[in-house]
């Protein structure tokens, strides 16, 4: 099964993907994580992407689409299906994705639109902390690491992403409204959009999503 998780920053795409990848046995493909990995490894692509990410802007389409094309058409780990988290992020990327998937005859099944309100988004983003080593997600109020600054899973350092600082969050939300929100309609027209109330916890959102898949006759690992 091939799903897109679509929604504003702070809607809980990453947290939900972490739950769903276990439940559904799917690969989790996060362009944000892939780009941060490129930066960590100081690759040419990472160097190019860094200034966009740190200022909350979108990385140029061709760089991100190149990463995605490579991942979904070459990587054997994604054969059984995947959750796309953070891609596509504008109309151009959505169209490019459709073209890539058409070439390999593997269309998307659904686009899960996580709708969340501004106060919830802000609280999630400003409190979010991430493990620098393994990417595990924490929140200073809702899910603090057992030992401050140390990852529960791998003991790596837990930090605040530079783009989760208040001034950059504003830019990211503006970019979302201007560039990303229009693709909600793009997928609605394709009949692939399912809307979920993402103010709720990731566990509740997962339950609702599983119910939708069951109603649609899609079962695990299909
Ligand atoms: P995320 O981890 O999904 O919040 O992404 C963090 C940052 O990575 C974004 O603010 C963008 O700068 C960049 N990024 C991630 N995915 C994309 C994408 N599909 N297109 C362009 N930039 C992206």
């Amino acid at each position: 099964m091939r799903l897109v998780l679509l929604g504003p920053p702070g809607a809980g795409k990453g947290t939900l993907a972490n739950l769903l990848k276990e439940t559904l046995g799917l690969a989790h493909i996060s362009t944000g994580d892939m780009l941060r990995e490129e930066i960590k490894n100081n690759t040419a692509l990472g160097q190019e992407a860094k200034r966009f990410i740190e200022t909350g802007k979108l990385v140029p389409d061709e760089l991100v689409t190149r990463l995605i094309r490579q991942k979904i058409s070459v990587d054997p780990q994604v054969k059984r299906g995947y959750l796309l988290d953070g891609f596509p992020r504008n109309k151009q990327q959505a169209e490019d994705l459709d073209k890539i998937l058409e070439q390999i005859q593997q269309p998307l099944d659904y686009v899960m639109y996580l709708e969340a309100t501004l106060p919830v988004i802000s609280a999630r983003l400003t409190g979010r902390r991430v493990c620098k080593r393994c990417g595990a997600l924490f929140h200073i109020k809702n899910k603090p690491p057992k030992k401050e600054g140390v990852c529960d899973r791998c003991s790596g350092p837990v930090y605040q992403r530079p783009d989760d600082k208040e001034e950059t969050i504003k830019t990211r939300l503006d970019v979302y409204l201007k560039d990303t929100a229009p693709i909600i309609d793009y997928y609605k027209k394709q009949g692939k959009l399912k809307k979920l109330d993402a103010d709720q916890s990731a566990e509740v959102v997962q339950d609702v999503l599983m119910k939708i898949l069951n109603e649609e006759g899609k079962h695990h690992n299909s």
Side-chain angles (χ1 to χ4, degrees):
M1 181 153 45
R2 291 170 291 276
L3 300 179
V4 167
L5 302 180
L6 178 64
K13 300 185 291 294
T15 309
L16 180 64
N18 281 328
L19 295 176
L20 281 174
K21 71 176 179 194
E22 302 295 329
T23 314
L24 293 169
L26 301 174
H28 174 198
I29 304 178
S30 154
T31 40
D33 285 350
M34 290 163 83
L35 290 165
R36 282 184 287 277
E37 193 63 25
E38 297 281 330
I39 293 175
K40 198 161 85 184
N41 296 332
N42 206 20
T43 64
L45 196 150
Q47 283 174 10
E48 171 104 32
K50 194 169 191 277
R51 64 200 158 102
F52 295 99
I53 296 186
E54 287 186 347
T55 51
K57 308 229 171 75
L58 291 187
V59 172
D61 293 337
E62 67 271 18
L63 296 187
V64 188
T65 306
R66 200 196 309 156
L67 281 180
I68 281 290
R69 183 193 302 276
Q70 181 79 3
K71 190 88 185 165
I72 57 185
S73 37
V74 180
D75 193 331
Q77 272 189 333
V78 308
K79 269 239 163 71
R80 288 174 60 196
Y82 48 79
L83 301 150
L84 274 181
D85 159 10
F87 186 94
R89 246 180 164 96
N90 60 26
K91 185 103 179 291
Q92 183 65 53
Q93 293 180 9
E95 288 171 356
D96 288 343
L97 177 63
D98 275 347
K99 274 187 215 133
I100 296 169
L101 295 180
E102 209 176 282
Q103 275 164 14
I104 55 177
Q105 298 183 323
Q106 295 180 355
L108 291 172
D109 291 287
Y110 299 105
V111 175
M112 300 295 175
Y113 166 39
L114 307 189
E115 192 180 45
T117 57
L118 197 55
V120 172
I121 290 171
S122 301
R124 284 189 187 144
L125 289 175
T126 49
R128 175 159 70 183
R129 298 294 182 270
V130 187
C131 173
K132 206 159 201 165
R133 192 184 296 159
C134 75
L137 293 169
F138 298 94
H139 189 280
I140 48 172
K141 282 212 192 90
N142 310 337
K143 198 189 166 206
K146 289 196 184 80
K147 192 167 167 222
E148 204 190 322
V150 182
C151 177
D152 294 352
R153 195 160 75 186
C154 77
S155 302
V158 170
Y159 82 126
Q160 182 177 38
R161 276 170 43 178
D163 59 338
D164 277 346
K165 305 249 159 76
E166 213 134 354
E167 55 285 9
T168 319
I169 288 176
K170 164 100 181 55
T171 310
R172 289 166 63 206
L173 290 174
D174 288 347
V175 168
Y176 172 77
L177 288 177
K178 183 172 154 282
D179 295 330
T180 312
I183 64 179
I184 296 169
D185 222 41
Y186 176 86
Y187 286 120
K188 205 187 274 174
K189 285 190 185 128
Q190 289 191 359
K192 295 202 167 157
L193 197 83
K194 302 283 174 194
K195 189 157 90 172
L196 302 163
D197 174 3
D199 275 359
Q200 307 174 95
S201 72
E203 286 76 14
V204 173
V205 177
Q206 169 170 249
D207 285 348
V208 175
L209 190 152
M210 292 305 294
K211 218 174 267 169
I212 292 174
L213 293 183
N214 284 332
E215 278 163 13
E216 296 274 328
K218 294 267 173 187
H219 36 77
H220 293 193
N221 304 331
S222 66

